[in-house]
């Protein structure tokens, strides 16, 4: 038995960010314009703050201007919608991202629908979801896009491969299914009602896990040589590291899986860094589109 190849999302994300940074510099030099990204956050949820801070920091490293809005957890829906309207109308803003989850008193669907589809760098607007499914040009949700770029680099042509996606959320599972269908894979979307999930997973050449259950997918659920993309981010207790210590694990039992799979993403250091790099890529793309420039091949 051999160990699976490690798909190093951290290194690939750094490469992608460097290419985005070079393209941003080129845009500024040739056209005197810099892309702007507005990250909208309400409240001070610690996990959201960590994500927002790293998005803003990495955007700055790529030369992208951050024009965020940070409201209190009590901000009302009308006030938030007015802020989205303002950002939609601000010519310096190319991309708008609303950090989820939003407080319970706000209808997230209504807020996401208010974003101008051209500035929707998360690709969650119903217009963009429709374009993704029908094969049109639209921003692609960042996490599935990151998974796709890693798969393309690892496998090249995916035509005819059997892909199983475990999870059918709007932000990961469903767009991932649309993307892999576009790559000519034969796609199965599994979920909590799927019968005999281990057998379904075992049939996959490409297995994407987006469940949110620590290490649910065991080594013997994986077909020999399969390519495994682990989207899950789960924090579990790690008493071996000391009292009250925790660690991150994916949805796949990594140590078991890597003795069977052909290639696998680690957690952390896999899909997570690629997600942010794809957000910056999407911001550049939105800036090019809004200014009538062609998006460079990245
Ligand atoms: P959701 O909770 O929205 O969806 C989870 C999906 O998993 C649902 O479709 C659910 O099925 C399915 N599911 C739950 N339990 C089972 C089970 N026992 N067997 C089979 N399917 C099951 O999660 P998200 O898609 O938002 O996120 C999934 C994971 O990915 C999380 O760990 C999240 O933290 C992580 N994530 C990571 C990102 C990154 O950048 N790396 C970005 C986004 C998410 P059903 O529909 O039937 O309920």
């Amino acid at each position: 038995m051999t160990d699976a190849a490690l798909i190093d999302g951290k290194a690939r994300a750094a490469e992608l960010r460097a290419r985005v940074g070079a393209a941003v510099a080129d845009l500024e030099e040739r056209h005197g314009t810099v892309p702007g990204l507005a990250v909208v956050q309400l409240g001070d949820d610690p996990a959201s703050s960590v994500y927002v801070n790293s998005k803003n920091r990495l955007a700055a490293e790529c030369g992208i201007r951050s024009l965020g809005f940070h409201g209190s957890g009590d901000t009302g829906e009308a006030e938030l919608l007015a802020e989205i309207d303002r950002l939609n109308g601000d010519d310096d803003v190319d991309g708008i991202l609303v950090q989820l989850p939003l407080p319970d008193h706000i209808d997230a669907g209504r807020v996401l629908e208010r974003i101008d589809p051209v500035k929707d760098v998360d690709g969650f607007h119903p217009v963009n979801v429709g374009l993704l499914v029908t094969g049109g040009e639209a921003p692609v949700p960042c996490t599935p896009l990151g998974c796709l770029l890693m798969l393309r680099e690892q496998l090249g042509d995916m035509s005819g491969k059997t892909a199983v996606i475990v999870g059918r959320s709007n932000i990961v599972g469903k767009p991932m299914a649309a993307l892999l269908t576009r790559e000519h894979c034969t796609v199965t979307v599994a979920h909590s009602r799927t019968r005999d999930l281990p057998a379904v997973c075992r049939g996959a050449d490409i297995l994407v896990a987006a469940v949110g259950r620590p290490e649910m997918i065991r080594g013997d659920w994986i077909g020999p040589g399969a390519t495994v993309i682990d989207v899950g981010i789960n924090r579990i207790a790690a008493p071996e590291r000391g009292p009250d210590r925790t660690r991150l694990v994916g949805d796949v039992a990594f140590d078991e899986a890597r003795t069977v799979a052909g290639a696998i993403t680690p957690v952390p250091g896999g899909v997570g860094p690629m997600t942010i790099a794809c957000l910056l890529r999407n911001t550049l793309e939105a800036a090019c589109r809004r200014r009538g420039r062609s998006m460079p091949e990245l």
Side-chain angles (χ1 to χ4, degrees), residues 143 167-169 171 191-192 210-213 216 231-233 271-272 275:
T143 299
R168 55 176 166 178
S169 71
I171 63 169
H191 45 77
S192 65
V211 187
R213 292 184 184 269
M216 184 187 86
V231 182
I233 301 178
V271 176
T275 296

Side-chain angles (χ1 to χ4, degrees), residues 72-125:
S72 80
D74 300 334
T75 304
E77 189 172 304
E79 196 185 332
L80 178 57
L81 291 174
E83 182 58 26
I84 301 285
D85 289 342
R86 190 188 67 72
L87 295 169
N88 283 339
D90 184 340
D91 202 40
D92 288 336
V93 172
D94 294 292
I96 303 171
L97 174 146
V98 175
Q99 184 65 41
L100 300 174
L102 287 169
D104 288 343
H105 64 276
I106 290 181
D107 180 338
R110 211 160 21 219
V111 173
L112 297 178
E113 280 182 36
R114 193 68 160 247
I115 298 172
D116 180 344
V118 175
K119 297 189 176 188
D120 170 36
V121 280
D122 248 344
F124 294 159
H125 192 286

Side-chain angles (χ1 to χ4, degrees), residues 230-247:
D230 191 352
V231 182
I233 301 178
N234 309 288
R235 191 166 284 286
I236 62 167
E240 73 281 4
R241 294 185 180 180
D244 301 329
R245 297 296 298 272
T246 60
R247 66 189 173 99

Side-chain angles (χ1 to χ4, degrees), residues 58-72:
L58 294 171
E61 276 179 29
C62 290
I64 292 173
R65 206 168 353 157
S66 293
L67 304 144
F69 169 79
H70 191 169
S72 80

Side-chain angles (χ1 to χ4, degrees), residues 215-219 230 250-258 264:
E215 300 179 324
M216 184 187 86
I217 294 178
R218 311 308 307 187
D230 191 352
D251 291 338
V252 178
F254 182 82
D255 289 338
E256 293 174 17
R258 74 177 308 184
I264 186 167

